[in-house]
Amino acid sequence: MKNICLNIEKALGTVSKEQVFAREAESNACMATLHNGTGAGNDFLGWLHLPSSITDAELADIEQTAETLRSKCEVVVAIGIGGSYLGARAVIEAMSHSFDWLTTDRKNPVMFYAGHNIGEDYLYELCEILKGKQFGIINISKSGTTTEPAIAFRILKKQLEEAVGKEEAKHRIVAITDARKGALRTLATQEGYKTFVIPDNVGGRFSVLTPVGLLPIAVAGVNIRELVAGAVSMEKATDESVPFAENPAAIYAATRNELYKAGKKIEILCNFNPKLHYIAEWWKQLYGESEGKEGKGIFPAAVDLTTDLHSMGQWIQEGERTIFETVISVEAMEHSMIVPTDAENLDGLNFLAGKHVDEVNKMAELGTQLAHVDGGVPNLKISLPAITPYYIGQLFYFFEKACGISGYMLGVNPFNQPGVEAYKKNMFALLNKPGYEKESEAIKSRL
Ligand code: PA5
């Protein structure tokens, strides 16, 4: 089996190979800090050996629960936000038919998502579409107290209980939360829901390979064993014992930090395959929450190409030179589609006739890379042999490992997210939450 592969050659106009390799000792030290558990946030290192420690029994339990939901439901709503949402959606969108909801020979339930926004119209329309449908709910919240998913769950639980009765609803609701704490744990115990535990030492954005990601992914019909196997192989390929020069996570971490030092403050994750859109959303959370703190951190942005070459392309080519790109390049497509010949050739595209659509896409990718490099945008490339659960598993672990090293290189705790509390405090104060009386008074005086 091949591995995903990192190429930094096209970033070496801005930083030199020597500069990147001069970070070897630092990278090794950060790697050792991770593996010895001696750094900041060391109580959140459960992800580090997670792939290789998942047991067959755990996977079988997840698969069996998925099968129950699959047999009962035509739609399953995964409720969650941030790390309790993005990983599952990333895999499901990457592995599903692009027009999934309209396929007629369905083998898998339709997956919907809720609790990742507070959109009244979104929730109304979701409830409308679920009327008369056999649906189930996976409610995911590590803290068990996050407002967005809690609101969505209240609404959908009520609708489900009214539709199928309280007893049957219990068999269609699965809760994934902390082992002991939080409102969701209390509720699940009280109602008798099937539950899965999010380990204490795995933070939300590192939790895709726990039941948080694995259960919805399995419900959607994706092979979670392949996903985990891919992650296991990358756990080995990025291990502490692998020398810096051969360790893709270390090289990625070193290169992006060197680029940051050279003034490249924004990293744009680019894909040339629309199925990878939510992989980028997952990546944005991973790096944004891990590194953006103490007035530091590369801003993680993302574009879908060639789509966004017709919107963001101008900025990338000629805007402020503070960006670099990391392109996820997929080598082989699953399907074959040839550009047809046309007798009239009014669009002048007969020179493409007989070529695979992906051949055109690959030339767009290469042309874009060279244009952006010429425009002063350093380019890193991660090649994926194909979009499969195995390679996505590799990609997840690669990014997680690199993120841990990179955060320590930057000098921050990559495993906390103190900044996400500020909006919550204000929101609760504005909504007059009991216990927030002082904050309410203070914030209202500012309005
Ligand atoms: O990475 C994180 O910790 C956060 O983004 C959380 O995943 C997100 O806030 C959801 O939290 P919870 O699972 O507690 O509802």
Side-chain angles (χ1 to χ4, degrees):
M1 202 65 114
K2 285 159 95 176
N3 274 355
I4 63 167
C5 161
L6 172 73
N7 186 329
I8 64 163
E9 289 297 316
K10 292 278 187 287
L12 297 180
T14 305
V15 294
S16 68
K17 197 166 180 181
E18 290 68 34
Q19 283 171 308
V20 172
F21 275 69
R23 288 205 179 237
E24 179 172 354
E26 184 190 1
S27 171
N28 290 345
C30 294
M31 179 80 93
T33 304
L34 271 181
H35 281 262
N36 299 338
T38 48
N42 58 1
D43 43 349
F44 282 98
L45 291 173
W47 59 273
L48 193 58
H49 298 296
L50 180 65
S52 59
S53 51
I54 300 173
T55 65
D56 188 64
E58 283 165 339
L59 290 174
D61 189 14
I62 291 169
E63 286 165 337
Q64 205 178 357
T65 306
E67 210 34 63
T68 306
L69 286 174
R70 287 167 61 83
S71 66
K72 285 177 177 285
C73 308
E74 47 188 329
V75 180
V76 173
V77 186
I79 297 181
I81 193 165
S84 292
Y85 154 65
L86 288 163
R89 188 161 194 177
V91 180
I92 294 167
E93 302 268 337
M95 293 314 307
S96 300
H97 193 291
S98 302
F99 306 96
D100 184 55
W101 59 93
L102 282 181
T103 50
T104 46
D105 57 341
R106 304 201 59 82
K107 294 181 198 73
N108 305 306
V110 174
M111 298 300 295
F112 286 156
Y113 304 89
H116 57 299
N117 59 47
I118 325 178
E120 184 156 347
D121 288 346
Y122 183 93
L123 280 167
Y124 179 89
E125 287 163 11
L126 176 61
C127 289
E128 279 294 299
I129 210 80
L130 288 174
K131 277 186 192 152
K133 303 239 174 13
Q134 297 298 331
F135 75 97
I137 300 170
I138 306 173
N139 191 15
I140 311 168
S141 176
K142 186 174 186 208
S143 63
T145 55
T146 307
T147 310
E148 291 90 337
I151 290 175
F153 185 61
R154 259 191 191 217
I155 292 169
L156 293 177
K157 174 180 184 277
K158 184 166 176 281
Q159 179 161 338
L160 183 61
E161 288 177 350
E162 283 168 6
V164 299
K166 221 168 155 34
E167 192 49 40
E168 174 59 15
K170 279 185 195 170
H171 302 290
R172 296 190 189 191
I173 296 175
V174 179
I176 306 178
T177 189
D178 185 88
R180 293 166 296 275
K181 302 186 299 285
L184 181 55
R185 171 56 57 189
T186 311
L187 182 72
T189 309
Q190 193 177 300
E191 302 279 345
Y193 300 147
K194 166 76 181 167
T195 63
F196 287 94
V197 169
I198 309 174
D200 282 348
N201 60 358
V202 180
R205 59 189 173 275
F206 289 86
S207 70
V208 59
L209 298 170
T210 72
V212 168
L214 296 180
L215 181 65
I217 292 168
V219 170
V222 179
N223 189 326
I224 55 171
R225 288 177 191 262
E226 279 183 33
L227 185 76
V228 172
V232 171
S233 73
M234 196 43 60
E235 187 184 324
K236 287 193 192 115
T238 60
D239 186 60
E240 198 183 9
S241 58
V242 179
F244 176 79
E246 292 156 34
N247 193 319
I251 297 283
Y252 179 55
T255 309
R256 61 198 298 285
N257 273 281
E258 202 52 41
L259 287 166
Y260 182 58
K261 201 175 93 185
K264 304 297 179 184
K265 308 282 185 195
I266 301 165
E267 178 175 9
I268 306 177
L269 194 75
C270 311
N271 71 73
F272 281 80
N273 192 315
K275 290 193 173 198
L276 300 181
H277 176 84
Y278 276 92
I279 296 275
E281 294 302 305
W282 170 86
W283 172 88
K284 273 160 54 180
Q285 188 206 358
L286 181 66
Y287 280 81
E289 280 192 347
S290 299
E291 295 194 323
K293 52 197 71 161
E294 299 173 30
K296 296 190 266 193
I298 296 170
F299 182 83
V303 290
D304 296 321
L305 305 179
T306 62
T307 313
D308 292 335
L309 288 175
H310 299 260
S311 63
M312 296 300 288
Q314 172 61 36
W315 200 104
I316 296 172
Q317 191 67 47
E318 295 182 352
E320 195 182 26
R321 301 298 73 188
T322 47
I323 57 175
F324 68 99
E325 285 181 328
T326 299
V327 176
I328 301 182
S329 178
V330 181
E331 285 164 14
M333 295 298 107
E334 190 185 353
H335 302 293
S336 167
M337 176 65 78
I338 304 289
V339 180
T341 190
D342 186 275
E344 294 198 47
N345 194 28
L346 289 177
D347 56 11
L349 288 184
N350 269 353
F351 75 103
L352 296 178
K355 288 190 194 297
H356 280 272
V357 171
D358 191 53
E359 197 179 332
V360 182
N361 200 28
K362 290 281 191 299
M363 291 309 110
E365 183 182 322
L366 186 57
T368 304
Q369 184 195 49
L370 296 173
H372 288 180
V373 169
D374 290 346
V377 182
N379 183 288
L380 311 182
K381 179 166 154 177
I382 299 164
S383 300
L384 238 68
I387 301 180
T388 66
Y390 185 85
Y391 293 122
I392 295 173
Q394 284 200 341
L395 194 63
F396 278 152
Y397 192 85
F398 160 77
F399 276 136
E400 287 179 359
K401 187 67 180 277
C403 186
I405 302 168
S406 184
Y408 281 155
M409 275 186 174
L410 189 65
V412 298
N413 174 355
F415 307 114
N416 66 3
Q417 56 287 327
V420 301
E421 296 310 312
Y423 97 91
K424 294 183 191 171
K425 201 175 112 218
N426 287 348
M427 177 177 73
F428 291 143
L430 290 165
L431 287 167
N432 300 316
K433 183 174 176 173
Y436 282 74
E437 290 75 13
K438 265 203 196 124
E439 287 86 348
S440 289
E441 207 180 305
I443 202 163
K444 283 177 187 161
S445 71
R446 289 172 56 193
L447 302 179

